[in-house]
Amino acid sequence: MSDVNDLQALTTSIGEYTLDTLGKETVTGLQVSMDGVDHNGRITVALKDNSDAEQKRVLRELFEIEQMYFDEAALSFDFVQDIDEVSLLHPEAKSFIYA
């Protein structure tokens, strides 16, 4: 498999695992974007309940996900109201989107 396919597979794996961990019933959207050069990834989450308490609960789960992929990617997290596909900062980055 080429590096591009490996990166897309990693990005999709992180996205699917995150969605399964958080639960489809808790999110209105999820986006994972991964930079191919340094494997820095960003998980952007739009929660149905965007309260502080729910964000804290979800952050604990996201930290566990970060630990699972520690050797493969450096992950950061954002909470947003809506997932906007156009908001990708690096259009060349591989992405996983659930909306």
Side-chain angles (χ1 to χ4, degrees):
M1 220 179 342
S2 72
D3 289 339
V4 172
N5 289 336
D6 288 344
L7 184 62
Q8 185 63 59
L10 174 62
T11 305
T12 300
S13 175
I14 292 170
E16 289 175 349
Y17 184 71
T18 301
L19 190 57
D20 287 344
T21 300
L22 300 181
K24 291 180 182 179
E25 67 280 354
T26 65
V27 301
T28 58
L30 175 78
Q31 179 175 334
V32 178
S33 57
M34 185 73 63
D35 185 300
V37 176
D38 56 11
H39 283 214
N40 279 328
R42 177 170 302 277
I43 298 176
T44 305
V45 182
L47 295 170
K48 287 184 181 176
D49 171 11
N50 202 26
S51 66
D52 288 345
E54 181 66 0
Q55 285 185 8
K56 287 178 186 176
R57 184 194 70 76
V58 167
L59 268 176
R60 285 189 289 277
E61 293 182 19
L62 290 171
F63 290 144
E64 290 178 21
I65 293 165
E66 181 182 39
Q67 288 301 310
M68 180 169 184
Y69 289 97
F70 180 77
D71 291 333
E72 300 173 82
L75 299 174
S76 60
F77 317 106
D78 288 314
F79 292 104
V80 296
Q81 292 297 321
D82 294 304
I83 298 297
D84 182 7
E85 293 181 42
V86 181
S87 71
L88 281 174
L89 296 175
H90 304 286
E92 70 279 1
K94 294 300 174 188
S95 65
F96 169 91
I97 298 173
Y98 169 82

